[in-house]
Amino acid sequence: MSSTYQEWVQREQNSIMHTYGRYPLAVAKSAGCRLYDPEGREYIDLLAGIAVNGLGHCNARLQEAMLKQAATLGHISNLFYQEPQILLAEALLETCHADKVFFCNSGAEANEGAIKLARRYMHHIRHADAHEIITLEGSFHGRTLATLTATGQEGKIKDGFGPLPEGFRTIPFNDAQALRDAISPATAAVMVEVVQGEGGVRPLAPEFLETLKTLREHQNFLLIVDEVQTGLCRTGRFWAHQKFNLRPDIFTTAKALANGLPMGAVLASDEVARGFEPGSHATTFGGGPVVAAVANEVVKIMREERLDERAREVGELAVHHLSDVADRHPDSIVSIRGQGLMIGVELAFPGQEVWKALLDRGFILNLTQGNVLRLLPPLIIEEQDLALFASALDDVLNAL
Ligand SMILES: Cc1ncc(COP(=O)(O)O)c(C=O)c1O
């Protein structure tokens, strides 16, 4: 380990709260699909800031949009009308069936807003005593008190933070019968990731989806889809729910929206958006002109360059390369799960050693659920980089 790395670790430990299990890597520079440590060693970025840098690092058009906006109108608060926010809302609404947007600053905040909107709509518009939010095991919805309660995982995420808010219920993943049993007149919403990210790149099963759609036709609950990780072309469609033929009443997004500047959004139908009125929900920073201008450019580039199609095509090539590796290592690789450029390689054993060996070879990715190597590369990644990764994984598994 270099002296710069050792020094940063020491200073970090002396100054920053210990909430992160950081990777043993210091990063000083980034460009495109590459990260560089302080000594200039290059890494292939297959993580993109955890599905954030969809357009890669240091994109010139985004830099220009940010500087131009910062030099024209920076922060003014949501007390005023400003065009970048309106333009972004209009651009987002062109990509989906929703009618209205609320801007905020993160994924957790977007999900918190979605939960509040569902409850308030039920209470104020439907005059129904329906407050319960049903979520799935393995889900991840954020770290605020409501969203960590919604999160279907136990352990450090929840431990010691009680009492947790009431009105949340978690059911087993993809269990259609459990969903039927859980829905009641008290249900405000069912909230799902159509492909669980932290949960190990796990899509909703067809039977569960059918049950969900049928129940929606006959019961009064709302459907919230958490697209914080899956949104903005990641899975091969602009929004993942489009791939699964769902029309959520509310969906959320964040990570890739401003390519690294903090931004989240709640999107909803006109009907459900009536649940909010002036004073019922707000944020100081959400949808500020600078982040909105950058997000506008992100959406424009994604649509111009058809990054949804690109994610689908390059994702298929990646799965093809990885499947070859899986064929050569049937005892080590249980499955390859690909949804566009959201790819999970499930190992038959704890993956820390494999993950570390790949990092040492210059590949940055994530290990989730202890045994799933998760790839969330920039949507502009070249097939060649993914082929290099597959070959490195092959070598690492050979050396075990
Ligand atoms: C599906 C999903 N929802 C919500 C969140 C929380 O987002 P944030 O960290 O921006 O609050 C995440 C973050 O990983 C996520 O993957």
Side-chain angles (χ1 to χ4, degrees):
M1 291 293 175
S2 74
S3 55
T4 308
Y5 170 81
Q6 304 285 12
E7 186 207 319
W8 287 7
V9 169
Q10 200 55 55
R11 284 168 56 200
E12 192 261 10
Q13 283 177 1
N14 290 339
S15 59
I16 293 176
M17 286 196 200
H18 298 161
T19 65
Y20 300 105
R22 297 195 200 263
Y23 293 174
L25 180 67
V27 181
K29 234 178 78 173
S30 62
C33 298
R34 297 288 186 274
L35 299 182
Y36 300 88
D37 75 9
E39 282 67 45
R41 180 172 178 210
E42 182 177 286
Y43 291 81
I44 296 183
D45 184 9
L46 301 177
L47 187 56
I50 322 184
V52 167
N53 302 95
L55 303 181
H57 300 274
C58 303
N59 178 290
R61 279 177 65 178
L62 300 186
Q63 289 179 50
E64 195 190 328
M66 178 160 44
L67 291 176
K68 203 167 145 200
Q69 187 58 48
T72 314
L73 178 70
H75 177 77
I76 46 163
S77 98
N78 278 312
L79 292 172
F80 303 93
Y81 296 94
Q82 43 106 348
E83 198 175 22
Q85 187 178 116
I86 299 166
L87 283 172
L88 177 60
E90 289 169 348
L92 286 174
L93 294 176
E94 277 176 26
T95 66
C96 64
H97 66 283
D99 304 306
K100 291 286 189 312
V101 189
F102 174 84
F103 290 111
C104 54
N105 310 284
S106 70
E109 208 185 316
N111 287 335
E112 184 90 16
I115 292 165
K116 286 178 71 178
L117 178 59
R119 283 191 174 170
R120 203 167 195 279
Y121 169 74
M122 285 299 181
H123 189 268
H124 271 56
I125 308 295
R126 294 243 188 116
H127 305 293
D129 185 15
H131 62 275
E132 195 167 68
I133 309 292
I134 296 174
T135 60
L136 305 188
E137 271 175 18
S139 61
F140 183 79
H141 297 298
R143 302 279 190 164
T144 62
L145 277 174
T147 58
L148 74 82
T149 308
T151 291
Q153 300 181 45
E154 297 307 317
K156 285 185 188 164
I157 291 177
K158 295 186 182 179
D159 188 28
F161 293 117
L164 299 180
E166 291 175 14
F168 291 85
R169 181 196 291 216
T170 300
I171 61 169
F173 183 65
N174 271 339
D175 186 333
Q177 188 55 46
L179 181 65
R180 275 185 220 106
D181 294 345
I183 302 289
S184 78
T187 310
V190 173
M191 177 157 145
V192 295
E193 294 159 85
V194 290
V195 183
Q196 287 191 344
E198 295 279 321
V201 191
R202 297 194 300 172
L204 292 182
E207 192 206 338
F208 184 86
L209 277 165
E210 282 318 306
T211 305
L212 182 58
K213 285 180 196 166
T214 310
L215 286 168
R216 265 184 95 196
E217 283 165 22
H218 300 104
Q219 312 263 6
N220 284 323
F221 66 90
L222 302 180
L223 174 63
I224 303 174
V225 175
D226 175 347
E227 293 246 23
V228 168
Q229 187 164 144
T230 53
L232 297 140
C233 302
R234 170 68 48 195
T235 66
R237 292 291 298 271
F238 203 94
W239 303 106
H241 65 259
Q242 293 163 337
K243 187 172 179 174
F244 289 76
N245 284 322
L246 282 174
R247 280 174 72 86
D249 302 286
I250 305 172
F251 70 95
T252 56
T253 182
K255 288 177 179 281
L257 186 50
N259 209 61
L261 294 188
M263 176 168 248
V266 184
L267 294 97
S269 64
D270 261 331
E271 166 63 14
V272 173
R274 291 167 63 214
F276 281 160
E277 61 194 304
S280 59
H281 195 55
T283 153
T284 297
F285 295 116
V290 177
V291 277
V294 172
N296 248 315
E297 202 62 22
V298 168
V299 174
K300 202 185 278 177
I301 295 171
M302 284 187 172
R303 297 183 78 193
E304 275 170 17
E305 299 188 3
R306 292 311 309 249
L307 291 186
D308 49 351
E309 286 172 13
R310 189 170 199 286
R312 191 158 62 232
E313 287 161 15
V314 179
E316 274 169 21
L317 294 169
V319 167
H320 176 75
H321 289 300
L322 291 166
S323 298
D324 284 348
V325 180
D327 289 345
R328 283 194 291 280
H329 299 277
D331 295 338
S332 298
I333 296 181
V334 177
S335 68
I336 307 288
R337 295 196 284 272
Q339 297 282 338
L341 281 170
M342 184 172 183
I343 300 169
V345 179
E346 185 183 351
L347 299 173
F349 43 79
Q352 189 67 23
E353 193 185 333
V354 171
W355 172 84
K356 178 64 169 59
L358 288 164
L359 181 67
D360 290 344
R361 284 163 191 254
F363 294 92
I364 293 180
L365 56 143
N366 169 250
L367 180 70
T368 188
Q369 300 300 311
N371 69 330
V372 181
L373 300 171
R374 182 170 48 150
L375 278 64
L376 299 160
L379 304 174
I380 58 168
I381 192 94
E382 296 292 343
E383 181 199 351
Q384 175 65 13
D385 286 342
L386 293 157
L388 285 173
F389 169 73
S391 152
L393 178 61
D394 197 16
D395 289 349
V396 167
L397 293 175
N398 280 331
L400 278 185

